[in-house]
Amino acid sequence: TTYIESRDLFHCCERGMALQYYKFVTIDLRLEGYNVFQIADLEMSYSGKPLVFNLGNDGCIGQSCPLDVDTAYSIDGDAPDKELPQNILDMNLETKWLDYKKSPAIIRLAKKKPIHNYRLRTANDEAIRDPVLWNLQGSPDYVNWVIMHEVANRTLGEALVPLNRSTWSTNFTIEIPCYAPTQAFIPNSPNITCQEGDILRSGSNCTTLCNDGFTPSIRTLLCKRAQLYPDSFYNCIAD
């Protein structure tokens, strides 16, 4: 799959996408129902090469960091001063992110970047704090979010995240999402052409939309590995 940062105007959809925002959402921990969560690092890779994060050198924290550096933060988190979300980007097994409310972490990149895979490194202690149910989401604009990978089975999650401390998990493969068809190339369609929104999870459907008085020639498109099927524009036909 080829990643592009702008819409492919010659086809119905994106063939992949580079995103500026990612979100790690913890659903539950190894100790079921527990709230104190931690991981040491979150490594993201593209074409087999880990992304190199630019964390700056001015000691900035989270959202206060300038836009030309990569950072991570939590909107409503509860983390100790030395165990903040941005620690997951430093690839240092001596640091970690700990949160007493298992709040999501937002990863804000200085530039849009695509990823193929990611993996977690467990923290230095307390395996009961490991995530075993979670999802990773992506967004092009901090408004529209889409799940790109999730672990929704507890038994599977417990097997995927090592009990050993300061240890990497296996690599997880990203489900590349799709953008909705471009409105400018579908006369008599609304600004958002899919009922489900402008960005679609791989494996999900786009219910096509037209303006009042028009009906889509194709009712449903399937998002599969960054491509919509059928691979053609639908038309809005007058009723």
Side-chain angles (χ1 to χ4, degrees), residues 96 183 186 201 209 225 232 234 236:
K96 66 182 179 183
Q183 182 264 348
I186 306 174
R201 183 178 181 180
L209 298 174
R225 299 179 66 182
S232 62
Y234 71 91
C236 288

Side-chain angles (χ1 to χ4, degrees), residues 47-162:
S47 293
K49 297 180 180 180
L51 301 188
V52 177
F53 298 111
N54 171 23
L55 303 180
N57 54 16
D58 63 353
C60 66
I61 297 175
Q63 286 177 286
S64 68
C65 291
L67 296 179
D68 62 350
V69 304
D70 304 316
T71 188
Y73 54 89
S74 182
I75 298 299
D76 59 353
D78 184 8
D81 289 343
K82 294 184 178 181
E83 297 176 343
L84 297 172
Q86 66 193 47
N87 288 345
I88 63 176
L89 303 183
D90 65 10
M91 302 303 122
N92 180 355
L93 59 81
E94 300 298 325
T95 66
K96 66 182 179 183
W97 166 39
L98 183 147
D99 193 284
Y100 290 105
K101 300 192 299 185
K102 63 174 189 288
S103 302
I106 306 293
I107 299 165
R108 188 193 74 199
L109 304 181
K111 296 181 179 180
K112 295 179 181 180
K113 294 179 182 178
I115 61 173
H116 280 152
N117 307 95
Y118 74 100
R119 61 178 181 164
L120 317 174
R121 179 152 56 185
T122 58
N124 62 322
D125 61 4
E126 299 293 347
I128 60 173
R129 300 172 179 171
D130 293 342
V132 296
L133 299 175
W134 74 87
N135 64 60
L136 184 73
Q137 302 179 24
S139 173
D141 54 11
Y142 202 69
V143 175
N144 299 289
W145 292 90
V146 62
I147 292 176
M148 304 179 74
H149 177 261
E150 71 174 332
V151 176
N153 179 283
R154 171 171 289 276
T155 301
L156 176 62
E158 290 173 347
L160 291 172
V161 178

Side-chain angles (χ1 to χ4, degrees), residues 4 9 20 32 44 102 104 123 129 140 192 204 216 222:
I4 53 179
L9 300 182
Q20 189 165 9
E32 189 170 358
M44 298 177 170
K102 63 174 189 288
R129 300 172 179 171
I192 303 298
S204 68
L222 171 65

